[in-house]
Amino acid sequence: MDAFELIDKAEKGHGLDLDGIAALMSATDDEVTEELFAAARRVRDRRFGKTVYLYGFVYFSTYCKNNCAFCYYRRTNDLHRYRKTKEEVLTLSASLEDAGVNLVDLTMGEDPLMYVDAHRNLIDLVQSVRDTVDIGIMVSPGAIDRAAFPALREAGADWFACYQETYNREMFAKLRLEQDFRNRMDQRIWAREAGILAEDGMLVGIGETPRDRAEAVHMMGTSGCEQIRAMTFVPQAGTPMQDLEPRDSTEELRAIATMRLVFQDRLIPASLDVEGIAGLKTRIDAGANVITSIIPPHQELAGVAQPELNIDDGHRSVDYVIEMLEGMGRKVASDSEYRSFIDAHRPVPRRC
Ligand code: SF4
């Protein structure tokens, strides 16, 4: 089957096996790429219409006990760190809700303070945000104990995000130093068992092969995660990977489009954290239907892949993003539309 036939097959919802995904991810011909993106847009629009979901980002603690080779916030990197107070997190969440986002993503490094006493500080924070806002809540706390998931759900978490980054175990060991591959995979399983929607993600441009990328897409999609993403690696100062040649977003866009074709009902983000607002249109044109990493300006908040990009100039703020989307003929989901998506897709908790 040639690439056009694979695209056609996937667009019709017949699925692709790993070889088919790998073939699409490796096709570099311009006409094939154009058709890949066009088919991804058709699939997205048939299923989700012109509606896009907006996620606000609150990176509330940049402390971390881990030492991931790719991450600016790794333990041994000497940098200014912050930990927002609960009041600050509540104020930020409320202001994001007022501005019109559908969800607030509460993200932290693996901050030891949030892990003490069976993650009590994290669970209390989620409960307080739940008591303050009516929009969706995503929690991105790194790897946590299995017992914490029901408590997080009880506190009001709708989503749990934890990215595997790669499904190549050797590469995982080099990226996520001294971390357990299986335990990280289990995080999303445990979240879904507790009735929390889950997000997985892969890094692109870390020295992986096209086959590695295809395996990651296949694994993320077949695991059942309701949201799956690809993000281009951005070399970070002070890390062992700081001198890696930066890559453009071509492979990420191809991954977004392939995921859209093969896993048609999933939410697929366009992250503002890679290329800032400049990268929004290309990702939407590749089939994404969620905008993530929207950050209120002037709040001394950081991004993950790009700690400062477009944050204080306001180009990652809600108003600016909405204006851009409207210019592209897209509309932001109402809170009730987004809530309906969550309710329809929430995994059924497993009772023991
Ligand atoms: S990727 Fe996450 S866990 Fe790893 S060093 Fe960075 S903040 Fe910590």
Side-chain angles (χ1 to χ4, degrees):
M1 218 179 262
D2 71 16
F4 289 104
E5 289 167 328
L6 286 170
I7 292 169
D8 185 56
K9 181 180 176 206
E11 182 175 357
K12 287 177 176 147
H14 298 314
L16 295 181
D17 60 14
L18 185 54
D19 289 336
I21 295 172
L24 279 193
M25 303 275 289
S26 320
T28 52
D29 178 90
D30 283 351
E31 277 181 40
V32 171
T33 303
E34 218 169 281
E35 177 55 13
L36 177 66
F37 292 163
R41 288 194 293 275
R42 289 192 294 271
V43 165
R44 189 247 343 257
D45 290 356
R46 276 199 290 271
R47 195 166 281 263
F48 294 96
K50 299 291 178 193
T51 303
V52 172
Y53 304 126
L54 292 192
Y55 289 6
F57 185 65
V58 177
Y59 198 178
F60 66 90
S61 174
T62 57
Y63 287 86
C64 189
K65 64 182 167 64
N66 285 337
N67 217 18
C68 300
F70 58 91
C71 178
Y72 182 63
Y73 301 100
R74 68 199 308 261
R75 184 183 68 233
T76 52
N77 219 4
D78 185 20
L79 48 92
H80 166 72
R81 295 179 194 265
Y82 64 77
R83 186 184 288 123
K84 297 288 181 191
T85 65
K86 183 191 281 187
E87 288 66 34
E88 287 172 322
V89 174
L90 297 182
T91 302
L92 287 162
S93 302
S95 73
L96 282 165
E97 178 181 41
D98 290 344
V101 305
N102 302 118
L103 171 145
V104 57
D105 176 4
L106 304 174
T107 294
M108 63 183 217
E110 294 199 7
D111 180 351
L113 192 70
M114 305 307 283
Y115 280 62
V116 293
D117 192 17
H119 308 288
R120 182 43 50 199
N121 291 333
L122 174 65
I123 293 162
D124 283 351
L125 182 68
V126 172
Q127 181 69 64
S128 299
V129 174
R130 179 74 292 156
D131 293 342
T132 305
V133 299
D134 283 328
I135 53 177
I137 297 176
M138 175 179 273
V139 189
S140 310
I144 59 175
D145 295 342
R146 185 176 195 171
F149 287 95
L152 273 180
R153 173 70 198 114
E154 185 87 359
D158 296 299
W159 285 91
F160 180 85
C162 181
Y163 309 151
Q164 200 72 19
E165 319 293 6
T166 175
Y167 280 84
N168 175 325
R169 282 176 183 261
E170 272 175 39
M171 200 167 265
F172 181 94
K174 288 183 190 151
L175 290 176
R176 290 200 164 271
L177 307 176
E178 297 159 16
Q179 293 169 58
D180 187 83
F181 183 91
R182 183 66 239 181
N183 178 263
R184 202 162 180 88
M185 278 186 74
D186 284 342
Q187 296 293 310
R188 295 172 295 276
I189 295 170
W190 295 337
R192 298 185 77 245
E193 277 177 4
I196 304 175
L197 294 91
E199 181 186 18
D200 194 0
M202 64 188 273
L203 269 177
V204 175
I206 46 172
E208 79 284 2
T209 64
R211 184 79 184 181
D212 289 330
R213 275 199 294 278
E215 274 173 7
V217 167
H218 178 73
M219 290 296 292
M220 292 194 300
T222 53
S223 70
C225 285
E226 291 79 7
Q227 184 163 298
I228 51 180
R229 75 162 65 205
M231 279 178 69
T232 306
F233 167 67
V234 180
Q236 302 293 331
T239 69
M241 294 168 72
Q242 66 178 357
D243 295 327
L244 227 69
E245 192 66 34
R247 301 272 284 271
D248 70 17
S249 58
T250 310
E251 302 300 349
E252 176 187 330
L253 297 176
R254 216 187 297 279
I256 288 173
T258 304
M259 289 190 290
R260 170 58 66 214
L261 279 185
V262 183
F263 303 105
Q264 302 190 355
D265 57 345
R266 308 309 160 87
L267 300 189
I268 300 178
S271 175
L272 300 181
D273 210 25
V274 179
E275 296 178 306
I277 199 74
L280 177 61
K281 187 172 186 314
T282 49
R283 287 164 177 79
I284 292 288
D285 283 348
N289 67 330
V290 180
I291 314 296
T292 65
S293 302
I294 291 173
I295 300 181
H298 314 305
Q299 300 290 339
E300 294 178 349
L301 285 166
V304 172
Q306 298 272 28
E308 291 168 5
L309 181 66
N310 279 163
I311 294 177
D312 273 340
D313 66 9
H315 289 182
R316 278 165 74 172
S317 68
V318 184
D319 287 349
Y320 197 83
V321 171
I322 290 177
E323 201 181 304
M324 288 274 299
L325 287 170
E326 286 174 353
M328 295 164 62
R330 306 265 136 201
K331 81 169 182 69
V332 177
S334 66
D335 285 340
S336 63
E337 285 172 317
Y338 185 63
R339 181 56 59 188
S340 298
F341 177 90
I342 290 182
D343 290 343
H345 292 83
R346 194 184 297 288
V348 179
R350 209 176 76 184
R351 311 266 173 225
C352 299

